[in-house]
Amino acid sequence: MQDRSPPVVILVRPQMGENIGAAARAMLNFGLTQMRLVEPRDGWPNPKAVAMASGAAGRVLDRARVYPTLADAMAGITFALATTARGRELSKPVFTPATAMDAARAHDGQSAIIFGPERAGLENGDVARANAIVTVPVNPDFPSLNLAQAVLLMGYEWGRRTLPPEPAPHARKADAELLADRIEIERLGDHYQDRLAEAGFFFPETKAESMRLNLRNMWSRLTLTRGDVRILHGVLRQLTRR
């Protein structure tokens, strides 16, 4: 099944431009690009937010829309999640970030994640407008999360199923960085075995075969690149040149 549209991120009464910019960076890390702001304390646009967003994440801020109330910011949203450690007295489902994003994917419509102001978080009146609550299971002795950290956690849970599991390589590996194949390892072992035999290493004769077998087994256990193999050949040639 094709993934739903990424959730909208709604920041309610954010207090510092730096945190809005950091939240934009966290969003773009995981493919979230729609930001809505409700009553940003220091107005909008905010140069400190732009400075913190740094580079590509600035486009998230360029597209951000400002609303006078959370109710207005919910236009077009059909499933909303309120991130809070409070508000459990309200009769709502309570999710972890992972299960919340599963619910957002399963919903046939536009979802949103609502984050409160840095100092006190969402008020109960804000939480009441959401379909469900998201609570991060953190150390109960220190449950406070920075706004950008909270956005990052939710973004990660959304993006981990849609983004590549490993970073894409930036460039093709050089030949020296490629793993040596078994033939290259075999030839390296032959080279060392021949030179060691010439030096009288395999002595006494009764133990020679066992010594060769152990050395061959040692080479096979090593993970070597083609560059490593060339260096080891060169080392042996230099040592035996005289």
Side-chain angles (χ1 to χ4, degrees):
M1 182 181 70
Q2 186 175 7
D3 281 310
R4 306 293 185 190
S5 297
V8 173
V9 171
I10 302 177
L11 306 185
V12 178
R13 298 180 296 278
Q15 296 171 317
M16 298 178 63
E18 294 90 339
N19 286 338
I20 298 173
R25 294 180 66 166
M27 288 171 59
L28 196 58
N29 282 151
F30 300 104
L32 306 181
T33 59
Q34 298 185 67
M35 175 185 283
R36 299 183 185 183
L37 304 172
V38 177
E39 294 185 282
R41 184 190 67 182
D42 296 333
W44 195 257
N46 188 311
K48 292 182 179 180
V50 175
M52 180 60 75
S54 180
R59 70 174 184 256
V60 175
L61 301 181
D62 292 340
R63 299 171 183 170
R65 299 174 63 184
V66 181
Y67 296 84
T69 67
L70 176 57
D72 293 321
M74 299 278 275
I77 303 300
T78 55
F79 182 69
L81 296 155
T83 58
T84 180
R86 301 181 302 150
R88 288 178 180 264
E89 64 271 17
L90 299 172
S91 180
K92 292 182 184 295
V94 178
F95 295 123
T96 65
T99 57
M101 293 300 91
D102 287 340
R105 280 192 183 84
H107 182 74
D108 188 13
Q110 181 61 65
S111 61
I113 315 168
I114 307 170
F115 299 87
E118 296 91 321
R119 186 176 298 277
L122 293 171
E123 298 176 356
N124 281 347
D126 303 319
V127 177
R129 289 184 163 81
N131 298 85
I133 290 170
V134 186
T135 298
V136 180
V138 295
N139 177 7
D141 294 329
F142 189 69
S144 176
L145 283 177
N146 175 274
L147 175 59
Q149 291 174 327
V151 174
L152 187 73
L153 277 171
M154 297 300 294
Y156 170 77
E157 292 297 345
W158 176 266
R160 70 189 180 94
R161 293 196 182 180
T162 57
L163 299 176
E166 296 180 0
H170 294 292
R172 182 180 176 181
K173 286 187 176 181
D175 181 71
E177 296 175 340
L178 296 174
L179 290 179
D181 63 26
R182 303 320 302 170
I183 295 298
E184 291 167 316
I185 299 294
E186 187 77 12
R187 289 172 180 167
L188 180 64
D190 290 343
H191 190 185
Y192 271 77
Q193 183 170 293
D194 292 345
R195 299 290 82 79
L196 288 170
E198 292 172 0
F201 177 78
F202 299 108
F203 180 85
E205 185 61 32
T206 54
K207 295 184 178 180
E209 187 58 33
S210 175
M211 295 168 71
R212 291 188 183 94
L213 181 63
N214 288 336
L215 278 172
R216 186 68 62 178
N217 187 48
M218 180 194 75
W219 288 116
S220 70
R221 293 200 309 270
L222 297 178
T223 301
L224 300 174
T225 66
R226 289 179 174 177
D228 296 333
V229 169
R230 287 199 288 268
I231 289 172
L232 289 170
H233 277 300
V235 167
L236 187 57
R237 281 192 291 267
Q238 186 66 27
L239 287 174
T240 59
R241 180 166 293 176
R242 297 181 181 179

